[in-house]
Amino acid sequence: MNAMEDFRAEVGSSGPVCVKGGGTRWSLGGEANTNVRVVHAPGGIDSHDPAEMTVAVWAGTTLTILAEVLAEKRQEVVLDGPPGSTVGGSLSVGWNSIRRQRIGTARDSLLQAECVGADGRIFKAGGPTVKNASGYELCRLLVGSLGTLALTGRVILRTRPLPECSLWLRGTMSPVEVERSCYRPSSILWDGSNSHVCLEGYGADVESEAEGLAEHGMTEVAGPPDLPPDRDRWSGDLPQGAVLDVATGVVHRHGSTVAPEVDPAVKVIAHRLKANFDPQGRLNPGRDPYQMSA
Ligand SMILES: Cc1cc2nc3c(=O)[nH]c(=O)nc-3n(C[C@H](O)[C@H](O)[C@H](O)COP(=O)(O)OP(=O)(O)OC[C@H]3O[C@@H](n4cnc5c(N)ncnc54)[C@H](O)[C@@H]3O)c2cc1C
């Protein structure tokens, strides 16, 4: 039996079940029901094709190991998360990196997913190439669905070139001024008093842009500020200790946040989808992707 078959056998075809990755976002969208069986996705890197800019990886692989392997060919994927985070967990959560302006979204990075559905059968969504354009875009539904539609065993992800140079600067320039002064910064963060900006690209370009910012008092720092673990949407006020991701309006903050209002019509469609993917409600019961904050 191959790893996907083993995973399918572990998931089985009856009874409530969910996948646990690194557990770094385990309670997101609600607590798992007490009677749910917890399984683990296979780990390991299947194949990396640097010329095609794709990597086939098992969903239980940690992001740290994946990053190490891709870095050997100076590539990376968009997925991000704290130590221990897995590829499958990160896709199921679907949050985006603070470097999204440069590297894109988690949703766009998933080219193909091999999953076990609620009926206990294996299905494949998407295609292995970056120019895939046929069929329903099921991959897009899977990202951010918290494992409530299917359990992911193996994926093919789009890779990106690592920048030649990457630099963080910090200072009291307003985020608007920083944005006006830079050509496509990878990230601008604002803590209410200071801006952090990430410049990435060719060394000479990054250095000349950094020199321009230095004239306005921006100085080089080791990296981004420590980001609080919870997320919210920008409402016009920055809570104490929070950090705003200027490009996306995501507020990184401490403490419980209120899930955004979801249009009732969208909820109806979401419930219909769930009922079609998982009529018995056996996949990750207790979790609701609409209870995630941002
Ligand atoms: C401080 C902090 C910073 C972060 N920054 C970023 C960031 O910059 N960018 C970003 O993208 N994310 C970020 N994250 C979120 C991060 O992606 C997730 O915490 C993490 O990747 C989830 O992986 P995990 O293996 O720990 O999942 P778990 O916590 O184990 O699981 C999370 C959810 O996914 C489900 N799940 C796990 N594996 C599978 C699978 N194979 N198939 C189906 N469902 C599955 C679980 O059942 C659970 O509901 C951040 C989180 C924190 C706490």
Side-chain angles (χ1 to χ4, degrees), residues 18-26 41 59 80-82 84-86 88-90 92-93 95-98 146-147 150-152 227 229 231 284 287:
C18 72
V19 182
K20 185 160 190 172
T24 62
R25 292 270 100 185
W26 191 237
D80 206 348
S85 303
T86 61
S90 183
S92 301
V93 167
W95 284 0
N96 292 309
S97 164
I98 52 171
L146 282 184
L151 306 183
T152 308
L227 295 178
R231 292 186 175 201
N284 216 351
R287 263 65 179 267

Side-chain angles (χ1 to χ4, degrees), residues 215-253:
E215 287 170 16
H216 297 277
M218 299 288 284
T219 53
E220 191 178 334
V221 287
D226 284 340
L227 295 178
D230 302 308
R231 292 186 175 201
D232 207 347
R233 288 185 184 176
W234 173 245
S235 61
D237 280 325
L238 200 62
Q240 187 69 24
V243 177
L244 171 69
D245 182 335
V246 175
T248 57
V250 171
V251 174
H252 298 260
R253 57 175 288 178

Side-chain angles (χ1 to χ4, degrees), residues 109-121:
S109 76
L110 180 60
L111 298 174
Q112 185 180 77
E114 228 171 308
C115 303
V116 180
D119 58 1
R121 291 197 293 186

Side-chain angles (χ1 to χ4, degrees), residues 21-103:
T24 62
R25 292 270 100 185
W26 191 237
S27 300
L28 200 67
E31 293 297 335
N33 285 2
T34 45
N35 61 343
V36 70
R37 200 157 43 82
V38 177
V39 301
H40 298 275
I45 293 169
D46 205 351
S47 60
H48 177 205
D49 190 340
E52 283 294 323
M53 303 201 73
T54 59
V55 62
V57 60
W58 295 96
T61 313
T62 62
L63 296 181
T64 312
I65 288 177
L66 179 58
E68 280 169 10
V69 169
L70 296 179
E72 287 169 17
K73 301 289 180 193
R74 295 212 49 77
Q75 293 191 352
E76 63 176 339
V77 288
V78 306
L79 305 180
D80 206 348
S85 303
T86 61
V87 169
S90 183
L91 288 167
S92 301
V93 167
W95 284 0
N96 292 309
S97 164
I98 52 171
R99 293 169 57 236
R100 169 184 170 161
Q101 287 296 93
R102 176 185 170 87
I103 57 177

